[in-house]
Amino acid sequence: MGNVEEVIVIGGGIGGLAAAYGIAKLGKRVTVLEQAQQFGEVGAGLQVGPNGLRALDELGVLEDVYKLAVFPRKHIFMDALGGTELSAVEFGDKFKESFGYPYIVIHRSDLHHVLLEHCRTLSNITFLTNHKVTNVEEHADFVELTCANGETLRAEAVVGADGIHSAARKLFTQAGPVPSKYVAYRFTVPMDEMTIDIDWDEKLTWIGPGIHLVQYPVRHKSVINQVAVFKSYRYNAESDDWGSIDELREMFKDCCPTIQESLKFVQEGFVSKLHDIESLDQWSTNRVTLLGDSAHAMLQYLAQGACQALEDAACLVDKLRSTSSVAAAFKEYEEERIPRTAQVQRGARKWGEIKHAEDEVTRLLRDTIMLNRRPDDYTYLEWLYKERKTASV
Ligand SMILES: Cc1cc2nc3c(=O)[nH]c(=O)nc-3n(C[C@H](O)[C@H](O)[C@H](O)COP(=O)(O)OP(=O)(O)OC[C@H]3O[C@@H](n4cnc5c(N)ncnc54)[C@H](O)[C@@H]3O)c2cc1C
């Protein structure tokens, strides 16, 4: 048995690294345990709205994130079948004035890299890869973690940032992820190979019955990130044999020519069967808390999973800074974050239902509302992007 570490963060994804960096800046010794052989991110693009940028700013890494980001001028919602515009959200000056920050899209690895490099500037962070935590056990004075490689480690406090299949979450619930029957294919295309005529200063979401396609540029607009999502009618809880590319093509077959052209580039590879979890009513004890997907995995339809993980990290650091004990900080953190993240989880499910609506009346009502809203009307985004409340000064 080695030393008792001050804080162990389980998981070196975006949430875990953001928390590790913020906590280490408070002067605490932090060890990050990552199951993989090396730190990294799966998938290509990530959208980060003003609330995620605010959290990155609070953590002190925003400037470096901006250097690698693309700033779309607007988000356009298109009718996937007819190929016509339904609505838009402008990300110009009024948006920035309303929420204090712009809207960015960025390669996942770039955001992860910025966080990792910031962590590496701090000598009080230790990284241990090839450490898959299999059990978390809380005692009166410490927490003991068992790893698949046979090691056990002890910590004064633990942050479980170990994603949707979290080992740490088992302290609070035995319930697993909830399948949505939807599948996402994520694929990138070099800009100079892209054959469709689109203004890449914009982010596009094409919506249709049981489907959507998201497209935006990353890496100084050298690459287009695309995510094609569809409902699988072959979903089977007992098997993994559903959600194939053939099914994708079948679901998108009535879409407009631009989508057909875009889908020529779809490949096997980054395929995700989409799940979320039911909201928890507790995710902290005196010495263990959860963060990010581990605490509140959500469907990606509001592009908020990573943003909420970043908000978690900023809030947790704030509570640890302003509260006398770890137990009190974890309690305040949980009290602030559970209602907020539960609301976003519910919102993501709801928005998924609306954008994937299959019956004609719902689609007609949705499209009428979308066609009638102004691109600089941000009323319905306020709950998501406006500054969160913090208890401390
Ligand atoms: C198709 C798609 C598109 C998305 N788009 C967006 C978007 O545009 N904007 C947005 O904000 N969010 C988006 N999300 C959500 C976002 O990707 C996640 O919410 C976010 O990555 C969660 O970060 P995390 O650090 O909590 O978890 P993860 O990224 O899952 O990181 C967990 C880390 O823990 C490690 N780990 C897991 N188990 C263990 C263990 N037992 N022991 C040790 N290490 C372990 C993993 O290897 C990983 O490194 C999207 C999701 C999907 C599926």
Coordinates of all heavy atoms in Angstrom, one line a residue, residues 10-17 33-36 39-41 45-48 103 108 112 131-134 161-167 184 186 216 227 229 272 274 291-294 297-298 300 302-309, ligand 1:
I10 N -10.8 9.9 -10.7 CA -10.9 8.7 -11.6 C -11.4 9.1 -12.9 O -12.5 9.6 -13.1 CB -11.9 7.6 -11.0 CG1 -11.7 7.4 -9.5 CG2 -11.8 6.3 -11.8 CD1 -12.8 6.5 -8.9
G11 N -10.6 8.9 -13.9 CA -11.0 9.2 -15.3 C -10.3 10.5 -15.8 O -10.4 11.6 -15.2
G12 N -9.6 10.4 -16.9 CA -8.8 11.5 -17.5 C -9.5 12.0 -18.8 O -8.8 12.3 -19.7
G13 N -10.8 12.1 -18.8 CA -11.5 12.7 -19.9 C -11.6 14.2 -19.7 O -10.9 14.8 -18.8
I14 N -12.4 14.9 -20.4 CA -12.5 16.4 -20.3 C -12.9 16.8 -18.9 O -12.3 17.7 -18.3 CB -13.5 16.9 -21.4 CG1 -12.8 16.8 -22.7 CG2 -14.0 18.3 -21.1 CD1 -13.7 17.0 -23.9
G15 N -13.9 16.1 -18.3 CA -14.4 16.4 -17.0 C -13.3 16.2 -15.9 O -13.1 17.0 -15.1
G16 N -12.7 15.0 -16.0 CA -11.7 14.6 -15.0 C -10.5 15.6 -15.0 O -10.0 16.0 -14.0
L17 N -10.0 15.9 -16.2 CA -8.8 16.8 -16.3 C -9.2 18.2 -15.9 O -8.4 18.9 -15.2 CB -8.3 16.8 -17.7 CG -7.7 15.5 -18.3 CD1 -7.1 15.7 -19.6 CD2 -6.6 15.0 -17.3
L33 N -6.3 8.9 -12.3 CA -6.3 7.5 -12.7 C -7.0 7.3 -14.0 O -8.2 7.6 -14.1 CB -6.9 6.5 -11.7 CG -6.3 6.6 -10.2 CD1 -7.1 5.5 -9.4 CD2 -4.8 6.3 -10.2
E34 N -6.4 6.8 -15.0 CA -7.0 6.6 -16.3 C -6.9 5.1 -16.7 O -5.8 4.6 -16.7 CB -6.4 7.5 -17.4 CG -6.8 7.3 -18.8 CD -8.3 7.3 -19.1 OE1 -9.0 8.2 -18.6 OE2 -8.8 6.3 -19.7
Q35 N -8.0 4.6 -17.2 CA -8.0 3.1 -17.5 C -7.2 2.9 -18.8 O -6.6 1.8 -19.0 CB -9.4 2.6 -17.7 CG -10.2 3.2 -18.9 CD -11.6 2.6 -19.0 OE1 -12.0 1.8 -18.2 NE2 -12.3 3.1 -20.0
A36 N -7.2 3.8 -19.7 CA -6.5 3.6 -21.0 C -5.0 3.6 -20.9 O -4.4 4.1 -19.9 CB -7.0 4.7 -22.0
F39 N -3.7 9.0 -22.4 CA -4.8 9.9 -22.3 C -5.2 10.3 -23.7 O -4.4 10.5 -24.6 CB -4.4 11.2 -21.6 CG -4.2 11.0 -20.1 CD1 -3.0 10.7 -19.6 CD2 -5.3 11.1 -19.3 CE1 -2.9 10.5 -18.2 CE2 -5.2 10.9 -17.9 CZ -4.0 10.6 -17.4
G40 N -6.5 10.5 -24.0 CA -7.0 10.8 -25.3 C -8.5 10.9 -25.3 O -9.2 10.6 -24.4
E41 N -9.0 11.3 -26.5 CA -10.4 11.5 -26.7 C -10.9 10.7 -27.9 O -10.2 10.7 -28.9 CB -10.8 12.9 -26.9 CG -11.1 13.7 -25.6 CD -12.5 13.3 -25.0 OE1 -13.5 13.3 -25.8 OE2 -12.5 13.0 -23.8
G45 N -15.6 16.2 -33.2 CA -16.0 17.5 -32.9 C -16.7 17.7 -31.5 O -17.3 16.7 -31.0
L46 N -16.7 18.9 -31.0 CA -17.4 19.2 -29.8 C -17.9 20.6 -29.9 O -17.1 21.5 -30.3 CB -16.4 19.1 -28.6 CG -17.0 18.8 -27.2 CD1 -17.8 17.5 -27.1 CD2 -15.9 18.8 -26.2
Q47 N -19.1 20.8 -29.6 CA -19.7 22.2 -29.5 C -19.6 22.7 -28.1 O -20.0 21.9 -27.2 CB -21.1 22.2 -30.0 CG -21.3 21.5 -31.3 CD -22.8 21.4 -31.6 OE1 -23.6 22.3 -31.4 NE2 -23.2 20.2 -32.0
V48 N -19.2 23.9 -27.9 CA -19.1 24.4 -26.5 C -19.9 25.7 -26.5 O -19.4 26.7 -27.1 CB -17.7 24.5 -26.0 CG1 -17.7 24.9 -24.5 CG2 -16.9 23.3 -26.2
Y103 N -20.0 31.2 -29.0 CA -20.3 29.8 -29.2 C -19.1 29.2 -30.1 O -18.8 29.8 -31.1 CB -21.6 29.6 -30.0 CG -22.2 28.2 -29.9 CD1 -23.2 27.9 -28.9 CD2 -21.7 27.2 -30.7 CE1 -23.7 26.6 -28.8 CE2 -22.2 25.9 -30.6 CZ -23.2 25.6 -29.7 OH -23.8 24.4 -29.5
R108 N -12.3 17.5 -30.3 CA -12.3 17.0 -29.0 C -10.9 16.9 -28.4 O -10.6 17.3 -27.3 CB -12.9 15.6 -28.9 CG -14.3 15.6 -28.8 CD -14.9 14.2 -29.0 NE -16.3 14.3 -29.0 CZ -17.0 14.1 -27.9 NH1 -16.5 13.8 -26.8 NH2 -18.3 14.2 -28.0
H112 N -9.1 18.5 -25.1 CA -8.5 17.6 -24.1 C -7.0 17.9 -24.0 O -6.5 18.0 -22.9 CB -8.7 16.2 -24.7 CG -8.3 15.1 -23.7 ND1 -7.1 14.6 -23.7 CD2 -9.0 14.5 -22.7 CE1 -7.0 13.7 -22.7 NE2 -8.2 13.6 -22.1
H131 N -4.8 2.3 -15.3 CA -5.4 2.1 -13.9 C -6.9 2.1 -14.1 O -7.5 3.2 -14.0 CB -4.9 3.2 -13.0 CG -3.6 2.9 -12.4 ND1 -2.4 2.9 -13.1 CD2 -3.2 2.5 -11.1 CE1 -1.4 2.5 -12.3 NE2 -1.8 2.3 -11.1
K132 N -7.5 1.0 -14.3 CA -8.9 0.9 -14.4 C -9.5 0.6 -13.0 O -9.2 -0.5 -12.4 CB -9.4 -0.2 -15.4 CG -10.9 -0.4 -15.5 CD -11.2 -1.5 -16.4 CE -12.6 -1.9 -16.4 NZ -13.5 -1.1 -17.2
V133 N -10.2 1.5 -12.5 CA -10.8 1.3 -11.1 C -12.0 0.3 -11.2 O -12.9 0.5 -12.0 CB -11.2 2.7 -10.5 CG1 -12.0 2.5 -9.2 CG2 -10.0 3.6 -10.3
T134 N -11.9 -0.7 -10.4 CA -13.0 -1.6 -10.4 C -13.9 -1.6 -9.1 O -15.0 -2.0 -9.1 CB -12.5 -3.1 -10.5 OG1 -11.5 -3.3 -9.5 CG2 -11.9 -3.3 -11.9
A161 N -14.9 10.7 -12.1 CA -15.2 11.3 -13.4 C -15.0 10.2 -14.5 O -14.3 10.5 -15.5 CB -14.3 12.5 -13.7
D162 N -15.5 9.1 -14.2 CA -15.2 7.9 -15.1 C -16.3 7.5 -16.1 O -16.5 6.4 -16.4 CB -14.8 6.7 -14.2 CG -15.7 6.4 -13.1 OD1 -16.5 7.3 -12.7 OD2 -15.7 5.3 -12.5
G163 N -17.0 8.6 -16.5 CA -17.8 8.4 -17.7 C -19.1 7.6 -17.4 O -19.5 7.3 -16.3
I164 N -19.8 7.3 -18.5 CA -21.2 6.7 -18.4 C -21.2 5.4 -17.8 O -22.2 5.0 -17.1 CB -21.9 6.7 -19.8 CG1 -23.3 6.4 -19.7 CG2 -21.2 5.8 -20.8 CD1 -24.2 6.7 -20.9
H165 N -20.1 4.6 -17.9 CA -20.1 3.3 -17.3 C -19.3 3.3 -15.9 O -18.6 2.4 -15.6 CB -19.4 2.3 -18.2 CG -20.2 2.1 -19.5 ND1 -21.5 1.6 -19.6 CD2 -19.9 2.6 -20.8 CE1 -21.9 1.7 -20.9 NE2 -21.0 2.3 -21.6
S166 N -19.5 4.4 -15.2 CA -18.7 4.7 -14.0 C -18.7 3.6 -13.0 O -19.8 3.0 -12.6 CB -19.4 5.9 -13.4 OG -18.9 6.2 -12.1
A167 N -17.5 3.3 -12.5 CA -17.4 2.4 -11.3 C -17.8 3.1 -10.0 O -18.4 2.6 -9.1 CB -16.0 1.9 -11.2
A184 N -25.3 7.0 -33.2 CA -24.6 8.1 -33.8 C -23.4 7.6 -34.6 O -22.6 6.8 -34.0 CB -24.2 9.1 -32.8
R186 N -20.0 9.1 -36.2 CA -19.3 10.3 -36.2 C -18.2 10.1 -37.2 O -17.4 9.1 -37.2 CB -18.6 10.6 -34.8 CG -19.7 10.8 -33.8 CD -19.0 11.2 -32.5 NE -19.2 10.1 -31.5 CZ -18.8 10.3 -30.2 NH1 -18.3 11.4 -29.8 NH2 -19.0 9.3 -29.3
Y216 N -20.2 20.7 -38.9 CA -19.4 21.9 -38.7 C -17.9 21.7 -38.9 O -17.5 20.6 -38.7 CB -19.8 22.5 -37.3 CG -19.5 21.5 -36.1 CD1 -18.3 21.4 -35.6 CD2 -20.6 20.8 -35.6 CE1 -18.1 20.5 -34.5 CE2 -20.4 20.0 -34.5 CZ -19.1 19.8 -33.9 OH -18.9 19.0 -32.9
V227 N -21.9 14.3 -37.8 CA -22.5 13.3 -36.9 C -23.9 13.0 -37.4 O -24.8 13.8 -37.5 CB -22.6 13.8 -35.4 CG1 -23.1 12.7 -34.5 CG2 -21.3 14.4 -34.9
V229 N -27.2 10.7 -36.9 CA -27.9 10.1 -35.8 C -29.3 9.5 -36.3 O -30.0 10.2 -37.1 CB -28.2 11.1 -34.7 CG1 -29.0 10.4 -33.6 CG2 -26.8 11.6 -34.1
S272 N -21.6 5.1 -31.9 CA -22.0 5.1 -30.5 C -23.5 4.8 -30.4 O -24.3 5.4 -31.1 CB -21.9 6.5 -29.8 OG -20.6 7.0 -30.1
L274 N -26.6 5.3 -28.3 CA -26.7 6.5 -27.4 C -27.6 6.1 -26.2 O -28.7 5.6 -26.3 CB -27.4 7.6 -28.2 CG -26.5 8.1 -29.4 CD1 -27.3 9.1 -30.3 CD2 -25.2 8.7 -29.0
L291 N -18.7 13.4 -11.1 CA -18.6 14.6 -12.0 C -18.8 14.1 -13.5 O -18.3 13.1 -13.8 CB -17.3 15.2 -11.7 CG -16.9 16.5 -12.4 CD1 -16.0 17.4 -11.5 CD2 -16.1 16.2 -13.7
G292 N -19.4 14.9 -14.3 CA -19.5 14.7 -15.7 C -20.5 13.5 -16.0 O -21.5 13.3 -15.2
D293 N -20.2 12.8 -17.0 CA -21.1 11.7 -17.4 C -21.3 10.7 -16.3 O -22.3 10.0 -16.3 CB -20.5 11.0 -18.7 CG -20.9 11.6 -20.0 OD1 -21.4 12.8 -19.9 OD2 -20.7 11.1 -21.0
S294 N -20.3 10.5 -15.5 CA -20.5 9.6 -14.4 C -21.7 10.0 -13.5 O -22.5 9.1 -13.1 CB -19.2 9.6 -13.5 OG -19.4 9.1 -12.3
A297 N -24.8 11.4 -17.2 CA -24.8 11.2 -18.6 C -26.1 11.6 -19.3 O -27.2 11.2 -18.7 CB -24.4 9.7 -18.9
M298 N -26.0 12.3 -20.4 CA -27.2 12.8 -21.0 C -27.2 12.5 -22.5 O -26.1 12.3 -23.1 CB -27.4 14.3 -20.7 CG -26.2 15.1 -21.1 SD -26.3 16.8 -20.6 CE -26.3 16.7 -18.8
Q300 N -27.0 13.7 -26.3 CA -26.2 14.8 -26.7 C -26.9 15.9 -27.5 O -26.3 16.8 -28.0 CB -25.0 14.3 -27.6 CG -25.3 14.1 -29.1 CD -26.0 12.8 -29.3 OE1 -26.5 12.2 -28.5 NE2 -25.9 12.4 -30.6
L302 N -28.6 18.6 -26.8 CA -28.4 20.0 -26.5 C -26.9 20.3 -26.6 O -26.5 21.4 -26.2 CB -29.0 20.3 -25.2 CG -30.5 20.3 -25.0 CD1 -30.9 20.4 -23.5 CD2 -31.2 21.3 -25.8
A303 N -26.1 19.4 -27.0 CA -24.6 19.6 -27.0 C -24.1 20.1 -25.6 O -23.4 21.1 -25.5 CB -24.2 20.5 -28.1
Q304 N -24.5 19.3 -24.6 CA -24.2 19.8 -23.2 C -23.4 18.9 -22.3 O -23.0 19.3 -21.2 CB -25.5 20.2 -22.6 CG -26.0 21.6 -22.9 CD -25.1 22.7 -22.4 OE1 -24.8 22.7 -21.2 NE2 -24.8 23.6 -23.2
G305 N -23.2 17.6 -22.7 CA -22.5 16.7 -21.8 C -21.2 17.2 -21.3 O -20.9 17.2 -20.1
A306 N -20.3 17.6 -22.2 CA -19.0 18.1 -21.8 C -19.2 19.5 -21.1 O -18.5 19.8 -20.2 CB -18.1 18.2 -23.0
C307 N -20.1 20.3 -21.6 CA -20.3 21.6 -21.0 C -20.7 21.5 -19.6 O -20.3 22.2 -18.7 CB -21.4 22.4 -21.8 SG -20.9 22.9 -23.4
Q308 N -21.6 20.5 -19.3 CA -22.0 20.3 -17.9 C -20.9 19.7 -17.1 O -20.8 20.0 -15.9 CB -23.3 19.3 -17.9 CG -24.5 20.0 -18.4 CD -24.9 21.3 -17.7 OE1 -24.9 21.4 -16.5 NE2 -25.1 22.3 -18.5
A309 N -20.0 18.9 -17.7 CA -18.9 18.4 -16.9 C -18.0 19.5 -16.6 O -17.4 19.6 -15.4 CB -18.1 17.3 -17.8
Ligands
LIG1 C1 -22.3 11.8 -30.6 C2 -22.0 12.7 -29.4 C3 -21.8 14.0 -29.6 C4 -21.6 14.8 -28.5 N1 -21.4 16.2 -28.7 C5 -21.2 17.0 -27.6 C6 -21.1 18.4 -27.8 O1 -21.1 18.9 -28.9 N2 -20.9 19.2 -26.7 C7 -20.9 18.7 -25.4 O2 -20.8 19.5 -24.5 N3 -21.0 17.3 -25.2 C8 -21.2 16.5 -26.3 N4 -21.3 15.2 -26.1 C9 -21.2 14.6 -24.7 C10 -19.7 14.5 -24.3 O3 -19.0 13.8 -25.2 C11 -19.6 13.9 -22.9 O4 -20.6 14.3 -22.1 C12 -18.3 14.2 -22.2 O5 -17.2 13.7 -23.0 C13 -18.2 13.6 -20.8 O6 -16.9 13.8 -20.3 P1 -16.5 13.0 -19.0 O7 -15.1 13.5 -18.7 O8 -17.5 13.1 -17.9 O9 -16.5 11.5 -19.5 P2 -15.7 10.7 -20.6 O10 -15.4 11.6 -21.7 O11 -16.4 9.4 -20.9 O12 -14.3 10.4 -19.8 C14 -14.2 9.4 -18.9 C15 -12.8 9.0 -18.8 O13 -12.7 8.0 -17.7 C16 -12.0 6.9 -18.2 N5 -12.5 5.8 -17.4 C17 -13.7 5.2 -17.5 N6 -13.9 4.2 -16.6 C18 -12.8 4.2 -15.9 C19 -12.4 3.4 -14.7 N7 -13.2 2.5 -14.2 N8 -11.2 3.6 -14.2 C20 -10.3 4.6 -14.7 N9 -10.7 5.4 -15.8 C21 -11.9 5.2 -16.3 C22 -12.2 6.8 -19.6 O14 -11.3 6.0 -20.3 C23 -12.2 8.3 -20.0 O15 -10.9 8.7 -20.3 C24 -21.5 14.3 -27.2 C25 -21.7 12.9 -27.0 C26 -21.9 12.1 -28.1 C27 -22.1 10.6 -27.9

